[in-house]
Amino acid sequence: MKQDPKAELRVISRTEPPASKLNDSIVVLTAGGAVLCALVFAVALPLGGPLPLYGGALSLGLLLFGVAIRRYFTDRFPDIEAIELREIPDPDHADEPLSDVEALGPRRSFLKRALIASGALFGIGIAAPPIASLGPAPGGTLLRTAWRPGVRLVTNEGLPVQPDDLAMGGIASIWPQDAIGQERSSVLLLRLTTPPVAPTNLDWVVDNVVAYSKVCTHAGCPVALYREQDNALFCPCHQSTFDPSRGAVPTFGPAARALPQLPLGLDDQGYLVALDDFQAQVGPAFD
Ligand code: FES
C-alpha cells in the first residue's frame, strides 16, 4: 500500500524570509524599466532611429527583465527543516519528495501580477516592430498577374503583335498592354516550326504561336534564351531547360514544373490577346 509522505512529515522549524521592500522595489523598478526599454525599441526601430539607441534599449530591456525575474524568486521559499519517517529500504517511494514546500503566496501576489503584466508589455514591445515590418499580407497578388481576358500582347515598345509578326522559329519578349515591365507578367512568345503537342493546351495556340511565362519555375530567373536547333527554352541561372513544343515541360536541370502557358487568342483586329490569366502558378512554387 502506498505511503503518504505528508502524513509522516514532521516539521521541526519553518522560517519565512522577511518581506524585503528593497527586493520588491527592485522587482517593480527593473520590470518597469524593461517595459520602458521595450517602448523605446518599439518606437525607435520603425522610425529609423540610430542603431545604438534601439539596440541599447533592447539589450538593456532584456537585462532588466532578467533581473526582475531573478529578484522575484529571491526569498520566495520558506526555510523549512523537517523529517519524514520511512521504512528503509523503501524502493517504491524512493523518488517521492521528502516534503512539499510551497512558495510564499499572498505577499507576492502583487509582484506576480506586476511581473506578468510587464512581461506581456515587454514581449509586445519587442515583437511589434519585426511584425509590423512584415508589411501588408500579399493576399492573392502572388497568384495573379496582369493578364486578363482581352489584354493585348505588346512588345517592349508597346506595339501590339499579330502571329505573322513572328518569323517561323522566332521568339519575342512580350508584356501585357497595360503592364509593360511587370516581370511576373512577362511572357515568351514563340512561333514553332512544327505544331506543338500535349501537354501543350492546343486551344491556347494560334498559328503555331504559343506563349509561356518567362519566370523560371525553379528560382524565378528570366528564361531568356531559346535554342532553335534543339527547340529548347533555357534558363541561364541553373541551366533548366524546357520544351516549348510540349507545354514547356522541364527536360533538364533543377526546375520541376513546366512554364505556365498563357491562354492565347485573337481580337477582332487580328492582334494576339490573352484569353485569361495563367492557369498555373507563375515562378517558384510557394504553396
Ligand atoms: S532559376 Fe532557372 S534554373 Fe534556377
Side-chain angles (χ1 to χ4, degrees), residues 214 216 221-225 233-242:
K214 194 175 176 180
C216 183
C221 287
V223 179
L225 303 173
L233 291 169
F234 182 71
C235 177
C237 284
H238 311 98
Q239 288 78 50
S240 281
T241 307
F242 305 88

Side-chain angles (χ1 to χ4, degrees), residues 73-111:
F73 286 102
T74 298
D75 294 338
R76 179 144 170 70
F77 293 93
D79 186 10
I80 293 178
E81 188 179 349
I83 60 171
E84 181 188 21
L85 300 179
R86 288 189 175 193
E87 291 179 12
I88 299 177
D90 186 0
D92 289 344
H93 300 102
D95 56 350
E96 289 179 350
L98 287 177
S99 66
D100 283 346
V101 179
E102 294 180 2
L104 297 175
R107 80 177 171 84
R108 292 299 175 100
S109 59
F110 166 73
L111 282 185

Side-chain angles (χ1 to χ4, degrees), residues 22-280:
L22 175 62
N23 190 60
D24 293 356
S25 300
I26 291 174
V27 173
V28 172
L29 287 175
T30 49
V35 171
L36 206 60
C37 289
L39 286 176
V40 171
F41 174 78
V43 171
L45 184 58
L47 293 182
L51 173 63
L53 178 61
Y54 63 78
L58 177 62
S59 307
L60 186 59
L62 288 169
L63 177 68
L64 289 176
F65 196 60
V67 171
I69 293 174
R70 172 66 186 88
R71 297 305 301 186
Y72 173 76
F73 286 102
T74 298
D75 294 338
R76 179 144 170 70
F77 293 93
D79 186 10
I80 293 178
E81 188 179 349
I83 60 171
E84 181 188 21
L85 300 179
R86 288 189 175 193
E87 291 179 12
I88 299 177
D90 186 0
D92 289 344
H93 300 102
D95 56 350
E96 289 179 350
L98 287 177
S99 66
D100 283 346
V101 179
E102 294 180 2
L104 297 175
R107 80 177 171 84
R108 292 299 175 100
S109 59
F110 166 73
L111 282 185
K112 187 176 179 182
R113 281 192 224 110
L115 198 61
I116 290 174
S118 65
L121 289 173
F122 182 71
I124 292 170
I126 295 298
I131 292 173
S133 70
L134 294 176
T141 55
L142 295 178
L143 297 173
R144 294 192 298 270
T145 69
W147 294 107
R148 295 181 307 281
V151 171
R152 276 183 173 171
L153 282 72
V154 299
T155 63
N156 286 330
E157 295 74 32
L159 300 174
V161 183
Q162 293 180 321
D164 288 344
D165 291 338
L166 277 178
M168 280 294 179
I171 184 170
S173 279
I174 294 295
W175 306 96
Q177 188 172 26
D178 51 359
I180 295 176
Q182 189 190 93
E183 291 182 1
R184 275 179 47 76
S185 302
S186 61
V187 298
L188 288 169
L189 193 67
L190 298 100
R191 191 163 191 196
L192 303 171
T193 51
T194 56
V197 296
T200 310
N201 188 324
L202 301 181
D203 292 339
W204 299 345
V205 179
V206 179
D207 292 341
N208 279 12
V209 174
V210 288
Y212 294 109
S213 168
K214 194 175 176 180
V215 185
C216 183
T217 53
H218 173 230
C221 287
V223 179
L225 303 173
Y226 176 54
R227 294 193 309 243
E228 188 188 349
Q229 69 273 18
D230 57 352
N231 191 31
L233 291 169
F234 182 71
C235 177
C237 284
H238 311 98
Q239 288 78 50
S240 281
T241 307
F242 305 88
D243 183 348
S245 62
R246 292 192 302 118
V249 294
T251 55
F252 180 80
R257 289 190 307 120
L259 299 172
Q261 183 183 353
L262 184 71
L264 273 189
L266 292 175
D267 65 12
D268 50 11
Q269 296 177 46
Y271 290 106
L272 290 165
V273 293
L275 299 178
D276 206 341
D277 199 352
F278 293 105
Q279 301 299 297

